[in-house]
Amino acid sequence: MDLPISITSRKKGIGELDFLIETDDGDVLALEIKSGKYYRSHAALDNALNTDGYAIDRAIVLAETNVFQEKGITYLPMYMLSMLINE
């Protein structure tokens, strides 16, 4: 995988994001790893996406699910993590 090092981010009132990744073109990708059947529940990610100044360009949730998009968030099955490339 050709992505730069990722970090965990926590800010009071926002919550904890699993990973924030800056791509080669400068976009910020929020990546959440969810287990269980409540993978659509991601308060910290929702808070970060709605917070001025965070400038998150894309959000991906990896879970036991099929591929789909909802409210600007892309949901991918876990095995697709190995297929993410930096574009």
Side-chain angles (χ1 to χ4, degrees), residues 18-19 31-42 60-65 75-78:
D18 291 336
F19 299 98
L31 185 63
E32 284 285 294
I33 314 299
K34 302 298 278 187
S35 63
K37 61 184 177 180
Y38 299 108
Y39 60 87
R40 287 183 173 168
S41 176
H42 34 67
I60 296 176
V61 172
L62 291 156
E64 293 183 25
T65 184
Y75 293 84
L76 300 174
M78 293 277 193

Side-chain angles (χ1 to χ4, degrees), residues 56-74:
I56 295 173
D57 300 295
R58 293 185 292 155
I60 296 176
V61 172
L62 291 156
E64 293 183 25
T65 184
N66 291 318
V67 176
F68 70 97
Q69 281 193 308
E70 181 177 82
K71 299 179 183 175
I73 299 172
T74 302

